[in-house]
Amino acid sequence: MNHLESLLTLLALLAGFALAAAMIWLERKPRATLDPRMIPTTPIMFLGLLIVILAALHLLALTRGVSH
């Protein structure tokens, strides 16, 4: 198993979790006005979760020794 590849995949996994968590926090934060946010939180949250799923699958493939 390539250690650099697994390290980058772990970093992507953590970044996906951080992105999804930041968007969840931003969604739950109370707003002073009813103006729409400049950042669309729901699509970015789903992007973070997609990164998490893909990174987890890649880690699983790395540990199982699946070749390309």
Side-chain angles (χ1 to χ4, degrees):
M1 181 164 72
N2 190 351
H3 295 294
L4 180 62
E5 191 173 5
S6 59
L7 178 66
L8 289 175
T9 305
L10 279 173
L11 288 175
L13 184 74
L14 292 175
F17 273 129
L19 184 63
M23 292 300 111
I24 291 171
W25 174 78
L26 193 59
E27 271 292 320
R28 293 184 176 261
K29 190 172 123 177
R31 296 191 293 186
T33 64
L34 292 178
D35 294 334
R37 296 189 191 274
M38 293 298 291
I39 300 172
T41 53
T42 305
I44 296 175
M45 184 187 336
F46 284 127
L47 176 67
L49 292 176
L50 179 67
I51 292 171
V52 167
I53 291 169
L54 292 176
L57 287 174
H58 190 250
L59 276 178
L60 184 65
L62 285 176
T63 58
R64 298 289 180 181
V66 176
S67 63
H68 293 82

Short mmCIF file of all heavy atoms in Angstrom, two decimals:
data_model
loop_
_atom_site.label_atom_id
_atom_site.label_comp_id
_atom_site.label_asym_id
_atom_site.label_seq_id
_atom_site.Cartn_x
_atom_site.Cartn_y
_atom_site.Cartn_z
N MET A 1 0.85 -1.18 0.00
CA MET A 1 0.00 0.00 0.00
C MET A 1 0.89 1.24 0.00
O MET A 1 1.82 1.33 0.79
CB MET A 1 -0.92 -0.03 1.22
CG MET A 1 -1.85 1.12 1.30
SD MET A 1 -3.22 0.91 2.42
CE MET A 1 -2.47 1.01 4.00
N ASN A 2 0.60 2.15 -0.89
CA ASN A 2 1.36 3.38 -1.00
C ASN A 2 0.96 4.32 0.12
O ASN A 2 -0.21 4.70 0.26
CB ASN A 2 1.10 4.01 -2.37
CG ASN A 2 2.03 5.15 -2.66
OD1 ASN A 2 2.77 5.59 -1.80
ND2 ASN A 2 1.99 5.61 -3.88
N HIS A 3 1.93 4.72 0.95
CA HIS A 3 1.61 5.53 2.12
C HIS A 3 1.21 6.95 1.75
O HIS A 3 0.36 7.53 2.41
CB HIS A 3 2.80 5.54 3.09
CG HIS A 3 3.08 4.20 3.68
ND1 HIS A 3 2.19 3.57 4.52
CD2 HIS A 3 4.11 3.36 3.53
CE1 HIS A 3 2.68 2.40 4.87
NE2 HIS A 3 3.85 2.24 4.28
N LEU A 4 1.82 7.50 0.72
CA LEU A 4 1.45 8.85 0.30
C LEU A 4 0.02 8.89 -0.24
O LEU A 4 -0.75 9.80 0.07
CB LEU A 4 2.42 9.37 -0.75
CG LEU A 4 2.15 10.78 -1.28
CD1 LEU A 4 2.24 11.79 -0.15
CD2 LEU A 4 3.12 11.12 -2.39
N GLU A 5 -0.34 7.87 -1.00
CA GLU A 5 -1.70 7.81 -1.55
C GLU A 5 -2.74 7.66 -0.45
O GLU A 5 -3.79 8.30 -0.48
CB GLU A 5 -1.78 6.66 -2.54
CG GLU A 5 -3.04 6.66 -3.37
CD GLU A 5 -3.01 5.60 -4.45
OE1 GLU A 5 -2.07 4.79 -4.49
OE2 GLU A 5 -3.96 5.58 -5.23
N SER A 6 -2.42 6.83 0.54
CA SER A 6 -3.38 6.65 1.64
C SER A 6 -3.45 7.91 2.51
O SER A 6 -4.53 8.25 3.01
CB SER A 6 -3.01 5.43 2.49
OG SER A 6 -1.72 5.57 3.02
N LEU A 7 -2.34 8.62 2.66
CA LEU A 7 -2.35 9.87 3.42
C LEU A 7 -3.20 10.92 2.71
O LEU A 7 -4.02 11.61 3.35
CB LEU A 7 -0.93 10.39 3.61
CG LEU A 7 -0.81 11.72 4.35
CD1 LEU A 7 -1.27 11.58 5.79
CD2 LEU A 7 0.60 12.23 4.28
N LEU A 8 -3.05 11.05 1.40
CA LEU A 8 -3.86 12.00 0.64
C LEU A 8 -5.34 11.64 0.69
O LEU A 8 -6.21 12.51 0.76
CB LEU A 8 -3.37 12.08 -0.80
CG LEU A 8 -2.03 12.77 -1.02
CD1 LEU A 8 -1.61 12.66 -2.47
CD2 LEU A 8 -2.10 14.20 -0.59
N THR A 9 -5.63 10.35 0.66
CA THR A 9 -7.02 9.92 0.74
C THR A 9 -7.60 10.21 2.12
O THR A 9 -8.76 10.64 2.23
CB THR A 9 -7.13 8.42 0.42
OG1 THR A 9 -6.52 8.18 -0.85
CG2 THR A 9 -8.57 7.97 0.38
N LEU A 10 -6.82 10.01 3.16
CA LEU A 10 -7.29 10.35 4.51
C LEU A 10 -7.52 11.85 4.65
O LEU A 10 -8.50 12.28 5.28
CB LEU A 10 -6.28 9.88 5.55
CG LEU A 10 -6.35 8.42 5.93
CD1 LEU A 10 -5.20 8.06 6.85
CD2 LEU A 10 -7.67 8.10 6.60
N LEU A 11 -6.65 12.64 4.05
CA LEU A 11 -6.85 14.09 4.08
C LEU A 11 -8.12 14.50 3.32
O LEU A 11 -8.84 15.40 3.76
CB LEU A 11 -5.63 14.81 3.50
CG LEU A 11 -4.38 14.80 4.37
CD1 LEU A 11 -3.21 15.44 3.63
CD2 LEU A 11 -4.63 15.50 5.68
N ALA A 12 -8.39 13.85 2.21
CA ALA A 12 -9.63 14.13 1.47
C ALA A 12 -10.84 13.72 2.29
O ALA A 12 -11.86 14.42 2.29
CB ALA A 12 -9.61 13.39 0.13
N LEU A 13 -10.74 12.60 3.00
CA LEU A 13 -11.83 12.14 3.86
C LEU A 13 -12.11 13.17 4.95
O LEU A 13 -13.27 13.54 5.19
CB LEU A 13 -11.48 10.79 4.45
CG LEU A 13 -12.52 10.10 5.31
CD1 LEU A 13 -13.63 9.54 4.44
CD2 LEU A 13 -11.88 8.99 6.11
N LEU A 14 -11.06 13.65 5.60
CA LEU A 14 -11.22 14.65 6.65
C LEU A 14 -11.74 15.98 6.10
O LEU A 14 -12.56 16.65 6.73
CB LEU A 14 -9.90 14.86 7.39
CG LEU A 14 -9.43 13.68 8.24
CD1 LEU A 14 -8.06 13.96 8.81
CD2 LEU A 14 -10.43 13.38 9.32
N ALA A 15 -11.27 16.36 4.92
CA ALA A 15 -11.75 17.60 4.30
C ALA A 15 -13.24 17.50 3.95
O ALA A 15 -13.99 18.46 4.11
CB ALA A 15 -10.93 17.92 3.06
N GLY A 16 -13.67 16.33 3.48
CA GLY A 16 -15.09 16.14 3.18
C GLY A 16 -15.94 16.23 4.43
O GLY A 16 -17.01 16.86 4.43
N PHE A 17 -15.46 15.60 5.51
CA PHE A 17 -16.18 15.70 6.79
C PHE A 17 -16.24 17.15 7.27
O PHE A 17 -17.28 17.63 7.74
CB PHE A 17 -15.52 14.85 7.87
CG PHE A 17 -15.99 13.43 7.90
CD1 PHE A 17 -15.07 12.39 7.90
CD2 PHE A 17 -17.33 13.11 7.96
CE1 PHE A 17 -15.48 11.08 7.93
CE2 PHE A 17 -17.76 11.81 7.99
CZ PHE A 17 -16.83 10.79 7.98
N ALA A 18 -15.12 17.86 7.16
CA ALA A 18 -15.08 19.26 7.61
C ALA A 18 -16.00 20.14 6.78
O ALA A 18 -16.69 21.01 7.32
CB ALA A 18 -13.65 19.78 7.54
N LEU A 19 -16.03 19.91 5.47
CA LEU A 19 -16.90 20.70 4.60
C LEU A 19 -18.37 20.45 4.93
O LEU A 19 -19.16 21.39 5.05
CB LEU A 19 -16.61 20.35 3.14
CG LEU A 19 -17.35 21.14 2.08
CD1 LEU A 19 -16.97 22.61 2.15
CD2 LEU A 19 -17.05 20.57 0.71
N ALA A 20 -18.74 19.19 5.09
CA ALA A 20 -20.14 18.87 5.43
C ALA A 20 -20.51 19.42 6.81
O ALA A 20 -21.60 19.98 6.99
CB ALA A 20 -20.36 17.37 5.37
N ALA A 21 -19.60 19.30 7.77
CA ALA A 21 -19.88 19.80 9.12
C ALA A 21 -20.01 21.31 9.14
O ALA A 21 -20.88 21.86 9.84
CB ALA A 21 -18.79 19.35 10.07
N ALA A 22 -19.18 22.00 8.37
CA ALA A 22 -19.27 23.47 8.31
C ALA A 22 -20.60 23.90 7.70
O ALA A 22 -21.22 24.87 8.17
CB ALA A 22 -18.10 24.03 7.51
N MET A 23 -21.05 23.21 6.68
CA MET A 23 -22.32 23.57 6.06
C MET A 23 -23.51 23.25 6.98
O MET A 23 -24.49 23.99 7.02
CB MET A 23 -22.48 22.87 4.72
CG MET A 23 -21.52 23.35 3.65
SD MET A 23 -21.68 25.12 3.29
CE MET A 23 -20.14 25.75 3.95
N ILE A 24 -23.43 22.15 7.72
CA ILE A 24 -24.49 21.83 8.69
C ILE A 24 -24.53 22.89 9.78
O ILE A 24 -25.60 23.35 10.18
CB ILE A 24 -24.27 20.42 9.28
CG1 ILE A 24 -24.53 19.37 8.20
CG2 ILE A 24 -25.16 20.18 10.49
CD1 ILE A 24 -24.14 17.96 8.61
N TRP A 25 -23.35 23.31 10.26
CA TRP A 25 -23.29 24.35 11.27
C TRP A 25 -23.87 25.66 10.74
O TRP A 25 -24.62 26.35 11.44
CB TRP A 25 -21.85 24.55 11.72
CG TRP A 25 -21.69 25.71 12.65
CD1 TRP A 25 -21.99 25.75 13.98
CD2 TRP A 25 -21.20 27.01 12.30
NE1 TRP A 25 -21.71 27.00 14.48
CE2 TRP A 25 -21.23 27.79 13.47
CE3 TRP A 25 -20.73 27.56 11.12
CZ2 TRP A 25 -20.81 29.10 13.49
CZ3 TRP A 25 -20.31 28.88 11.15
CH2 TRP A 25 -20.36 29.64 12.31
N LEU A 26 -23.55 26.00 9.51
CA LEU A 26 -24.05 27.24 8.91
C LEU A 26 -25.57 27.18 8.72
O LEU A 26 -26.26 28.19 8.89
CB LEU A 26 -23.36 27.49 7.57
CG LEU A 26 -23.51 28.85 6.94
CD1 LEU A 26 -23.00 29.94 7.87
CD2 LEU A 26 -22.78 28.90 5.63
N GLU A 27 -26.10 26.01 8.38
CA GLU A 27 -27.55 25.85 8.22
C GLU A 27 -28.28 26.03 9.54
O GLU A 27 -29.37 26.61 9.59
CB GLU A 27 -27.88 24.46 7.69
CG GLU A 27 -27.92 24.34 6.20
CD GLU A 27 -29.07 25.08 5.56
OE1 GLU A 27 -30.20 25.06 6.10
OE2 GLU A 27 -28.84 25.68 4.52
N ARG A 28 -27.71 25.52 10.61
CA ARG A 28 -28.38 25.56 11.91
C ARG A 28 -28.19 26.88 12.66
O ARG A 28 -28.87 27.12 13.64
CB ARG A 28 -27.91 24.41 12.78
CG ARG A 28 -28.34 23.08 12.24
CD ARG A 28 -27.95 21.97 13.17
NE ARG A 28 -28.45 20.72 12.68
CZ ARG A 28 -29.56 20.13 13.12
NH1 ARG A 28 -30.26 20.70 14.06
NH2 ARG A 28 -29.95 18.99 12.62
N LYS A 29 -27.26 27.70 12.20
CA LYS A 29 -27.00 28.99 12.84
C LYS A 29 -28.19 29.91 12.59
O LYS A 29 -28.63 30.06 11.46
CB LYS A 29 -25.72 29.58 12.25
CG LYS A 29 -25.21 30.78 12.96
CD LYS A 29 -23.85 31.13 12.40
CE LYS A 29 -23.89 32.54 11.91
NZ LYS A 29 -22.60 33.00 11.41
N PRO A 30 -28.72 30.53 13.65
CA PRO A 30 -29.88 31.42 13.44
C PRO A 30 -29.51 32.65 12.60
O PRO A 30 -28.41 33.18 12.71
CB PRO A 30 -30.29 31.83 14.85
CG PRO A 30 -29.26 31.32 15.77
CD PRO A 30 -28.34 30.43 15.03
N ARG A 31 -30.46 33.04 11.76
CA ARG A 31 -30.25 34.20 10.90
C ARG A 31 -31.03 35.39 11.43
O ARG A 31 -32.13 35.23 11.98
CB ARG A 31 -30.70 33.90 9.48
CG ARG A 31 -29.90 32.82 8.81
CD ARG A 31 -30.20 32.72 7.35
NE ARG A 31 -31.56 32.27 7.11
CZ ARG A 31 -32.04 32.00 5.92
NH1 ARG A 31 -31.29 32.16 4.85
NH2 ARG A 31 -33.27 31.58 5.77
N ALA A 32 -30.48 36.58 11.23
CA ALA A 32 -31.15 37.79 11.68
C ALA A 32 -32.22 38.23 10.69
O ALA A 32 -33.26 38.77 11.07
CB ALA A 32 -30.13 38.91 11.88
N THR A 33 -31.98 37.98 9.40
CA THR A 33 -32.94 38.37 8.37
C THR A 33 -33.33 37.14 7.56
O THR A 33 -32.73 36.07 7.69
CB THR A 33 -32.33 39.41 7.41
OG1 THR A 33 -31.25 38.81 6.72
CG2 THR A 33 -31.84 40.63 8.17
N LEU A 34 -34.33 37.30 6.72
CA LEU A 34 -34.78 36.19 5.87
C LEU A 34 -34.16 36.25 4.48
O LEU A 34 -34.61 35.55 3.57
CB LEU A 34 -36.31 36.20 5.78
CG LEU A 34 -37.04 35.87 7.07
CD1 LEU A 34 -38.54 35.94 6.85
CD2 LEU A 34 -36.65 34.50 7.58
N ASP A 35 -33.13 37.08 4.32
CA ASP A 35 -32.44 37.14 3.04
C ASP A 35 -31.74 35.81 2.76
O ASP A 35 -31.22 35.17 3.68
CB ASP A 35 -31.39 38.26 3.03
CG ASP A 35 -32.04 39.63 3.14
OD1 ASP A 35 -33.21 39.76 2.72
OD2 ASP A 35 -31.38 40.55 3.64
N PRO A 36 -31.72 35.38 1.51
CA PRO A 36 -31.04 34.12 1.21
C PRO A 36 -29.53 34.25 1.40
O PRO A 36 -28.95 35.33 1.24
CB PRO A 36 -31.38 33.85 -0.25
CG PRO A 36 -31.81 35.15 -0.79
CD PRO A 36 -32.35 35.96 0.34
N ARG A 37 -28.90 33.15 1.74
CA ARG A 37 -27.45 33.14 1.95
C ARG A 37 -26.73 33.24 0.61
O ARG A 37 -27.23 32.78 -0.42
CB ARG A 37 -27.01 31.87 2.64
CG ARG A 37 -27.56 31.72 4.04
CD ARG A 37 -26.90 30.54 4.72
NE ARG A 37 -27.56 30.20 5.96
CZ ARG A 37 -27.29 30.77 7.13
NH1 ARG A 37 -26.37 31.69 7.20
NH2 ARG A 37 -27.94 30.40 8.21
N MET A 38 -25.53 33.79 0.63
CA MET A 38 -24.73 33.88 -0.58
C MET A 38 -24.11 32.53 -0.92
O MET A 38 -23.75 32.28 -2.06
CB MET A 38 -23.62 34.93 -0.40
CG MET A 38 -24.14 36.34 -0.28
SD MET A 38 -25.01 36.88 -1.75
CE MET A 38 -23.67 36.99 -2.91
N ILE A 39 -23.97 31.67 0.09
CA ILE A 39 -23.39 30.34 -0.11
C ILE A 39 -24.53 29.32 -0.10
O ILE A 39 -25.26 29.22 0.88
CB ILE A 39 -22.39 30.00 1.01
CG1 ILE A 39 -21.26 31.00 1.04
CG2 ILE A 39 -21.86 28.59 0.86
CD1 ILE A 39 -20.35 30.85 2.23
N PRO A 40 -24.70 28.55 -1.17
CA PRO A 40 -25.75 27.51 -1.17
C PRO A 40 -25.27 26.31 -0.33
O PRO A 40 -24.44 25.51 -0.75
CB PRO A 40 -25.89 27.14 -2.64
CG PRO A 40 -24.57 27.46 -3.23
CD PRO A 40 -24.02 28.62 -2.46
N THR A 41 -25.78 26.21 0.88
CA THR A 41 -25.25 25.23 1.83
C THR A 41 -25.59 23.79 1.47
O THR A 41 -24.75 22.90 1.66
CB THR A 41 -25.76 25.54 3.25
OG1 THR A 41 -27.17 25.63 3.22
CG2 THR A 41 -25.18 26.85 3.76
N THR A 42 -26.77 23.53 0.96
CA THR A 42 -27.17 22.14 0.71
C THR A 42 -26.34 21.47 -0.38
O THR A 42 -25.84 20.36 -0.16
CB THR A 42 -28.67 22.08 0.38
OG1 THR A 42 -29.41 22.69 1.43
CG2 THR A 42 -29.13 20.64 0.22
N PRO A 43 -26.12 22.09 -1.55
CA PRO A 43 -25.28 21.41 -2.55
C PRO A 43 -23.84 21.23 -2.08
O PRO A 43 -23.21 20.20 -2.37
CB PRO A 43 -25.33 22.32 -3.76
CG PRO A 43 -26.50 23.19 -3.57
CD PRO A 43 -26.73 23.30 -2.11
N ILE A 44 -23.30 22.19 -1.34
CA ILE A 44 -21.94 22.06 -0.85
C ILE A 44 -21.85 20.97 0.21
O ILE A 44 -20.86 20.23 0.28
CB ILE A 44 -21.43 23.42 -0.34
CG1 ILE A 44 -21.35 24.40 -1.50
CG2 ILE A 44 -20.06 23.28 0.32
CD1 ILE A 44 -20.98 25.79 -1.12
N MET A 45 -22.89 20.83 1.03
CA MET A 45 -22.93 19.75 2.01
C MET A 45 -22.93 18.39 1.32
O MET A 45 -22.20 17.48 1.71
CB MET A 45 -24.19 19.89 2.89
CG MET A 45 -24.30 18.89 3.99
SD MET A 45 -25.87 18.93 4.90
CE MET A 45 -26.49 20.54 4.67
N PHE A 46 -23.72 18.26 0.26
CA PHE A 46 -23.75 17.00 -0.48
C PHE A 46 -22.42 16.75 -1.20
O PHE A 46 -22.00 15.60 -1.32
CB PHE A 46 -24.91 16.97 -1.46
CG PHE A 46 -26.23 16.71 -0.79
CD1 PHE A 46 -27.30 17.56 -1.01
CD2 PHE A 46 -26.41 15.63 0.04
CE1 PHE A 46 -28.52 17.33 -0.39
CE2 PHE A 46 -27.62 15.39 0.67
CZ PHE A 46 -28.67 16.25 0.45
N LEU A 47 -21.76 17.79 -1.64
CA LEU A 47 -20.43 17.63 -2.24
C LEU A 47 -19.44 17.09 -1.21
O LEU A 47 -18.64 16.19 -1.51
CB LEU A 47 -19.94 18.96 -2.81
CG LEU A 47 -18.54 18.96 -3.39
CD1 LEU A 47 -18.49 18.10 -4.65
CD2 LEU A 47 -18.10 20.37 -3.68
N GLY A 48 -19.49 17.62 0.00
CA GLY A 48 -18.63 17.11 1.07
C GLY A 48 -18.91 15.65 1.38
O GLY A 48 -17.98 14.85 1.58
N LEU A 49 -20.19 15.27 1.40
CA LEU A 49 -20.53 13.87 1.66
C LEU A 49 -20.12 12.97 0.50
O LEU A 49 -19.72 11.83 0.72
CB LEU A 49 -22.03 13.75 1.93
CG LEU A 49 -22.50 14.40 3.23
CD1 LEU A 49 -24.01 14.32 3.35
CD2 LEU A 49 -21.83 13.78 4.43
N LEU A 50 -20.19 13.47 -0.73
CA LEU A 50 -19.72 12.70 -1.87
C LEU A 50 -18.21 12.47 -1.79
O LEU A 50 -17.72 11.37 -2.07
CB LEU A 50 -20.07 13.42 -3.17
CG LEU A 50 -19.62 12.74 -4.46
CD1 LEU A 50 -20.36 11.43 -4.66
CD2 LEU A 50 -19.82 13.65 -5.63
N ILE A 51 -17.47 13.49 -1.37
CA ILE A 51 -16.03 13.34 -1.18
C ILE A 51 -15.74 12.29 -0.12
O ILE A 51 -14.83 11.46 -0.26
CB ILE A 51 -15.40 14.71 -0.83
CG1 ILE A 51 -15.47 15.64 -2.02
CG2 ILE A 51 -13.96 14.55 -0.35
CD1 ILE A 51 -15.08 17.07 -1.71
N VAL A 52 -16.52 12.30 0.97
CA VAL A 52 -16.34 11.31 2.04
C VAL A 52 -16.58 9.90 1.51
O VAL A 52 -15.79 8.99 1.77
CB VAL A 52 -17.28 11.62 3.23
CG1 VAL A 52 -17.34 10.47 4.20
CG2 VAL A 52 -16.83 12.88 3.93
N ILE A 53 -17.64 9.71 0.75
CA ILE A 53 -17.96 8.38 0.23
C ILE A 53 -16.88 7.89 -0.73
O ILE A 53 -16.41 6.75 -0.63
CB ILE A 53 -19.35 8.40 -0.46
CG1 ILE A 53 -20.44 8.58 0.58
CG2 ILE A 53 -19.58 7.12 -1.26
CD1 ILE A 53 -21.80 8.87 -0.01
N LEU A 54 -16.44 8.77 -1.63
CA LEU A 54 -15.41 8.37 -2.59
C LEU A 54 -14.08 8.09 -1.91
O LEU A 54 -13.37 7.15 -2.27
CB LEU A 54 -15.26 9.44 -3.67
CG LEU A 54 -16.43 9.59 -4.62
CD1 LEU A 54 -16.19 10.75 -5.57
CD2 LEU A 54 -16.69 8.31 -5.38
N ALA A 55 -13.73 8.89 -0.91
CA ALA A 55 -12.47 8.67 -0.20
C ALA A 55 -12.53 7.37 0.61
O ALA A 55 -11.55 6.63 0.68
CB ALA A 55 -12.16 9.85 0.72
N ALA A 56 -13.68 7.09 1.21
CA ALA A 56 -13.83 5.83 1.96
C ALA A 56 -13.72 4.63 1.03
O ALA A 56 -13.07 3.63 1.36
CB ALA A 56 -15.16 5.82 2.71
N LEU A 57 -14.33 4.72 -0.15
CA LEU A 57 -14.21 3.63 -1.12
C LEU A 57 -12.77 3.47 -1.60
O LEU A 57 -12.30 2.34 -1.79
CB LEU A 57 -15.14 3.88 -2.31
CG LEU A 57 -16.62 3.68 -2.05
CD1 LEU A 57 -17.43 4.11 -3.26
CD2 LEU A 57 -16.91 2.25 -1.70
N HIS A 58 -12.09 4.58 -1.79
CA HIS A 58 -10.70 4.50 -2.23
C HIS A 58 -9.82 3.88 -1.14
O HIS A 58 -8.93 3.08 -1.44
CB HIS A 58 -10.19 5.89 -2.60
CG HIS A 58 -8.87 5.88 -3.28
ND1 HIS A 58 -7.75 6.34 -2.67
CD2 HIS A 58 -8.50 5.44 -4.50
CE1 HIS A 58 -6.72 6.20 -3.50
NE2 HIS A 58 -7.16 5.65 -4.62
N LEU A 59 -10.06 4.25 0.12
CA LEU A 59 -9.31 3.63 1.22
C LEU A 59 -9.58 2.13 1.30
O LEU A 59 -8.67 1.34 1.53
CB LEU A 59 -9.66 4.29 2.55
CG LEU A 59 -8.91 5.56 2.90
CD1 LEU A 59 -9.42 6.11 4.21
CD2 LEU A 59 -7.42 5.30 2.97
N LEU A 60 -10.82 1.76 1.09
CA LEU A 60 -11.16 0.35 1.10
C LEU A 60 -10.45 -0.39 -0.04
O LEU A 60 -9.92 -1.48 0.15
CB LEU A 60 -12.67 0.16 0.98
CG LEU A 60 -13.20 -1.25 1.06
CD1 LEU A 60 -12.93 -1.83 2.44
CD2 LEU A 60 -14.69 -1.28 0.75
N ALA A 61 -10.40 0.23 -1.21
CA ALA A 61 -9.69 -0.38 -2.32
C ALA A 61 -8.20 -0.48 -2.06
O ALA A 61 -7.55 -1.46 -2.46
CB ALA A 61 -9.96 0.41 -3.60
N LEU A 62 -7.64 0.52 -1.39
CA LEU A 62 -6.22 0.48 -1.07
C LEU A 62 -5.90 -0.63 -0.07
O LEU A 62 -4.87 -1.30 -0.19
CB LEU A 62 -5.75 1.83 -0.51
CG LEU A 62 -5.58 2.96 -1.49
CD1 LEU A 62 -5.22 4.25 -0.75
CD2 LEU A 62 -4.52 2.64 -2.52
N THR A 63 -6.75 -0.81 0.92
CA THR A 63 -6.48 -1.83 1.93
C THR A 63 -6.72 -3.24 1.39
O THR A 63 -6.07 -4.18 1.84
CB THR A 63 -7.33 -1.61 3.19
OG1 THR A 63 -8.72 -1.62 2.83
CG2 THR A 63 -6.98 -0.30 3.85
N ARG A 64 -7.65 -3.39 0.46
CA ARG A 64 -7.94 -4.71 -0.11
C ARG A 64 -6.98 -5.09 -1.23
O ARG A 64 -6.99 -6.22 -1.67
CB ARG A 64 -9.38 -4.76 -0.64
CG ARG A 64 -10.43 -4.57 0.40
CD ARG A 64 -10.50 -5.76 1.28
NE ARG A 64 -11.54 -5.55 2.27
CZ ARG A 64 -11.82 -6.41 3.20
NH1 ARG A 64 -11.17 -7.54 3.27
NH2 ARG A 64 -12.74 -6.15 4.07
N GLY A 65 -6.22 -4.13 -1.71
CA GLY A 65 -5.26 -4.42 -2.76
C GLY A 65 -5.88 -4.56 -4.15
O GLY A 65 -5.39 -5.30 -4.98
N VAL A 66 -6.94 -3.82 -4.38
CA VAL A 66 -7.58 -3.86 -5.70
C VAL A 66 -6.71 -3.07 -6.66
O VAL A 66 -6.33 -1.94 -6.42
CB VAL A 66 -9.00 -3.23 -5.64
CG1 VAL A 66 -9.62 -3.17 -7.01
CG2 VAL A 66 -9.86 -4.02 -4.68
N SER A 67 -6.37 -3.69 -7.79
CA SER A 67 -5.52 -3.01 -8.76
C SER A 67 -6.39 -2.34 -9.82
O SER A 67 -7.56 -2.67 -10.00
CB SER A 67 -4.57 -4.00 -9.42
OG SER A 67 -5.32 -4.97 -10.13
N HIS A 68 -5.80 -1.41 -10.53
CA HIS A 68 -6.53 -0.65 -11.55
C HIS A 68 -6.71 -1.47 -12.79
O HIS A 68 -5.96 -2.16 -13.28
CB HIS A 68 -5.79 0.63 -11.88
CG HIS A 68 -5.78 1.57 -10.73
ND1 HIS A 68 -4.89 1.47 -9.69
CD2 HIS A 68 -6.55 2.63 -10.43
CE1 HIS A 68 -5.10 2.44 -8.80
NE2 HIS A 68 -6.11 3.16 -9.23
#
